[in-house]
């Protein structure tokens, strides 16, 4: 490394989504124009904690193969939710204390000669990694990603736009088979406690019902709306349900791991069948986190990455790049971490648009 050359690291952390590779590419591309070196850290922070270190030097040659147009993350990630559980090269796991984590991270950073780390992840990952970076004495810039689009401080996070397109395409497909069989098709969308994905896809996919965690619903009103669709002369209907809504009895529906949401559409299908509908449930699942990132996500990833590199060039630290009111900007990480996640505003524009289209969105 010649004098004046900056060497930075980049990693992805938390659940994957489409657009992560585009963001990694943009980090490398933008850093390269400044004459910097970039090291991709594998499997979130694990790559700096395991021994030998798990990383790869990244140059534009790594993008000869069109990684940036693929979903997933070429660096690997981890969303175990337990920062103390470290996965080694051979797949074995180890529980590491906070003290040991910080010490190994610092030694890893020193071994690679990194002066900064770009963290592409959710606010939870950013909070954890910023603690490590402070202890290691290096700068950190966060780039928000989540298909749930509820990351604090930014209007858009990487992955949401593509996921919304995936759900919309699924609705287009469900629409034709629903029409052939005169059925009600239910699509279950991801989103944890946020309904952005379900609501916006419902608008784009011309659904009749969109149930989201932010707005309580009445089951009888769902039935009423579906009956209306048939009374209007249509022979099928589409329902989008966010995975994080409660059942009428107030309980959530969890997937087999008991940790993440899943299965609420099956509950609704059973109930609607008892009420006389010919109905099928479709859990769209992890397909929503995959696929070629659409242009919107690539542009977002590129703009956020360029801003992240510019911030480091200006000597800034502990910031998160965001997209707010149509512009790229940045905010202090500690300010971001004190903001609540941003779910759908029940009084917001999207809900009003859905209602005006006749979509039943719950009791608003
Ligand atoms: O937060 C992103 C997300 O895809 C949620 O929408 C979903 O509930 C969860 O992650 C699924 O996590 P996992 O990949 O652990 O099943």
């Amino acid at each position: 490394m010649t004098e004046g050359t900056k060497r930075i690291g980049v990693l992805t952390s938390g659940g994957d989504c489409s657009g992560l590779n585009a963001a990694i590419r943009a980090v490398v591309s933008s850093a390269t124009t400044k004459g910097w070196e970039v090291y991709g850290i594998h499997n979130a922070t694990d790559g700096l904690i395991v021994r030998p270190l798990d990383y790869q030097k990244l140059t534009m040659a790594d993008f000869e193969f069109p990684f940036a147009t693929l979903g997933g993350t070429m660096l690997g990630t981890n969303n175990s939710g337990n920062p103390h559980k470290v996965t080694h090269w051979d797949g074995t796991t180890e529980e590491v204390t906070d003290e040991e984590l910080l010490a190994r991270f610092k030694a890893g950073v020193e071994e690679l000669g990194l002066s900064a780390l770009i963290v592409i992840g959710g606010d939870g990952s950013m909070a954890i990694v910023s603690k490590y970076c402070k202890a290691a004495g290096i700068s950190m810039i966060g780039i928000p990603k989540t298909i749930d689009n509820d990351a604090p401080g930014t209007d858009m996070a990487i992955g949401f736009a593509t996921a919304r397109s995936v759900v919309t395409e699924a609705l287009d497909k469900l629409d034709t088979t629903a029409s052939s069989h005169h059925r009600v098709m239910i699509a279950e969308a991801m989103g944890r406690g946020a309904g952005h994905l379900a609501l916006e896809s419902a608008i784009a996919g011309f659904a009749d019902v969109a149930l989201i965690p932010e707005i309580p619903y009445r089951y009888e009103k769902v039935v009423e709306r579906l009956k209306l669709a048939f009374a209007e002369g249509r022979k099928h209907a589409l329902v989008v349900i966010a995975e994080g809504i409660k059942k009428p009895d107030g309980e959530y529906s969890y997937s087999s791991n008991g940790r993440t949401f899943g299965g609420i559409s099956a509950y609704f299908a059973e109930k609607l069948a008892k009420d006389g509908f010919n109905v099928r449930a479709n859990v769209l699942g992890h397909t929503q986190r995959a696929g070629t990132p659409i242009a919107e996500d690539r542009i977002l990833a590129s703009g956020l990455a360029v801003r992240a590199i510019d911030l480091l060039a200006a000597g800034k630290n502990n910031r998160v790049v965001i997209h707010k009111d149509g512009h790229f900007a940045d905010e202090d990480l500690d300010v971001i971490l004190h903001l609540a996640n941003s779910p759908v505003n029940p009084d917001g524009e999207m809900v009003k648009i859905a209602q005006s289209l006749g979509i039943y969105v719950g009791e608003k």
Side-chain angles (χ1 to χ4, degrees), residues 16-26 63 65-74 120 145 147 156-167 169 286-302:
D16 73 344
C17 61
S18 289
L20 294 177
N21 290 327
I24 297 163
R25 182 193 180 279
F63 299 94
F65 185 74
F67 265 127
T69 62
L70 299 178
T73 163
M74 63 195 282
I120 309 170
K145 64 88 220 166
I147 65 161
M156 284 295 271
I158 296 170
F160 173 66
T162 303
R164 187 178 54 190
S165 284
V166 169
V167 179
E169 274 173 37
H286 290 76
T287 60
Q288 295 160 93
R289 297 222 307 238
T292 300
I294 65 168
E296 198 176 341
D297 261 326
R298 296 188 208 186
I299 295 165
L300 180 70
S302 301

Side-chain angles (χ1 to χ4, degrees), residues 79 146-148 190-192 243 257 259-261 286 289:
N79 71 339
T146 170
I147 65 161
D148 307 340
M190 279 186 167
R192 286 190 210 268
E243 62 176 5
N257 64 27
R259 184 178 63 86
T260 51
F261 292 129
H286 290 76
R289 297 222 307 238

Side-chain angles (χ1 to χ4, degrees), residues 169-232:
E169 274 173 37
L171 289 173
D172 290 348
K173 288 174 180 150
L174 292 174
D175 197 54
T176 58
T177 174
S179 169
S180 306
H181 289 268
H182 315 318
R183 278 178 176 155
V184 172
M185 280 290 177
I186 306 177
E188 179 176 322
M190 279 186 167
R192 286 190 210 268
H196 298 287
L197 192 53
L199 179 63
E200 294 187 28
S201 307
I203 293 171
F206 312 132
D208 302 280
V209 175
L211 302 182
I212 60 173
E214 296 86 344
I215 304 179
Y217 64 90
R218 281 177 49 207
Y219 174 75
E220 316 81 69
K221 288 292 178 110
V222 174
V223 171
E224 214 174 274
R225 179 64 190 86
L226 294 176
K227 282 189 175 155
L228 178 67
F230 288 89
E232 281 173 344

Side-chain angles (χ1 to χ4, degrees), residues 196 199 212 214-215 342-352:
H196 298 287
L199 179 63
I212 60 173
E214 296 86 344
I215 304 179
S342 52
V344 172
N345 174 1
D347 300 312
E349 203 172 36
M350 280 300 161
V351 172
K352 292 202 171 89

